[in-house]
């Protein structure tokens, strides 16, 4: 389906497209959830796939847990995530417009993203909190991602989730 997926970035903004496009491929993930009540962290394995789309003008990803190797024959349970992210570079704003659709809880987040030094930072306000998702320590074969929340306008942040990823292909 060539109209949906693309082999690489659009010629119009190749440098910007590379910010997320360098993640194109299939990744194994180790996901850690940090409960708000301070109870012990919960860890699961998953997968994350990235690719160019829409004639190279967008970067899509699909986030899953459990991963395909651990998914039971009966399929994904209602509380297990299979989410879709769509990222489109906005040359007027010089930012990424980002949308996450989570199937487990019906989550829908609209965020803006930008590169800050060596990290890619996505931000939004939702339900009275600030939310910050950050890709860090990106190499050709690994990256680290974290989900942080602030209930006090950004003065302090609580780590809600983190992911360590290893490239499969």
């Amino acid at each position: 389906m060539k109209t949906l997926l693309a082999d690489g970035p659009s010629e119009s903004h190749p440098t910007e497209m590379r910010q997320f496009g360098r993640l194109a491929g299939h990744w194994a993930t180790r996901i850690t959830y940090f409960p708000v009540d301070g109870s012990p962290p919960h860890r699961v394995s998953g997968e994350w796939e990235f690719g160019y789309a829409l004639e190279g003008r967008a970067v899509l990803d699909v986030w899953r847990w459990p991963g395909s190797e651990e998914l039971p024959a009966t399929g994904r349970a209602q509380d297990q995530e299979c989410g879709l992210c769509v990222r489109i570079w906005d040359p007027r704003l010089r930012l990424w417009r980002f949308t996450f659709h989570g199937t487990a809880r019906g989550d829908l987040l609209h965020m803006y993203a930008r590169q800050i030094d060596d990290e890619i930072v996505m931000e939004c306000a939702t339900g009275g909190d600030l939310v910050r998702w950050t890709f860090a320590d990106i190499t050709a074969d690994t990256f680290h991602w974290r989900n942080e929340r602030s209930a006090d306008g950004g003065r302090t942040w609580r780590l809600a989730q983190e992911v360590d990823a290893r490239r499969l292909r």
Side-chain angles (χ1 to χ4, degrees):
M1 180 181 283
K2 210 52 162 169
T3 57
L4 176 61
L5 301 178
D7 293 329
S10 165
E11 294 293 322
S12 58
H13 303 288
T15 301
E16 290 82 0
M17 295 303 296
R18 175 108 177 91
Q19 288 173 11
F20 282 110
R22 64 187 156 160
L23 299 172
H26 190 182
W27 302 78
T29 59
R30 184 72 172 152
I31 307 160
T32 305
Y33 293 91
F34 299 93
V36 175
D37 65 7
S39 57
H42 172 68
R43 291 181 178 82
V44 297
S45 296
E47 297 176 354
W48 210 340
E49 289 184 79
F50 292 81
Y52 288 102
L54 306 176
E55 299 176 344
R57 297 171 186 263
V59 175
L60 301 181
D61 77 64
V62 175
W63 153 285
R64 292 186 290 275
W65 73 265
S68 57
E69 290 183 12
E70 296 176 12
L71 188 65
T74 55
R76 194 170 306 285
Q78 287 296 319
D79 67 339
Q80 295 174 332
E81 192 63 78
C82 184
L84 171 70
C85 300
V86 179
R87 297 172 178 87
I88 298 174
W89 176 253
D90 186 325
R92 290 173 296 125
L93 294 177
R94 309 239 1 106
L95 292 170
W96 288 88
R97 291 178 182 263
F98 171 87
T99 305
F100 171 73
H101 301 268
T103 60
R105 291 177 299 283
D107 292 334
L108 176 63
L109 287 176
H110 299 286
M111 304 176 99
Y112 290 98
R114 66 187 185 283
Q115 183 140 357
I116 300 175
D117 299 322
D118 292 335
E119 298 182 333
I120 304 171
V121 180
M122 297 154 279
E123 300 170 305
C124 75
T126 184
D129 285 352
L130 296 178
V131 176
R132 179 172 64 196
W133 294 355
T134 305
F135 284 93
D137 304 320
I138 302 169
T139 71
D141 296 314
T142 61
F143 68 81
H144 183 79
W145 179 88
R146 63 187 181 272
N147 169 357
E148 299 169 290
R149 295 184 87 87
S150 174
D152 60 11
R155 287 186 295 280
T156 61
W157 292 89
R158 180 185 69 78
L159 182 62
Q161 181 183 27
E162 65 183 351
V163 174
D164 287 304
R166 176 184 45 83
R167 186 181 295 276
L168 296 172
R169 59 183 182 268

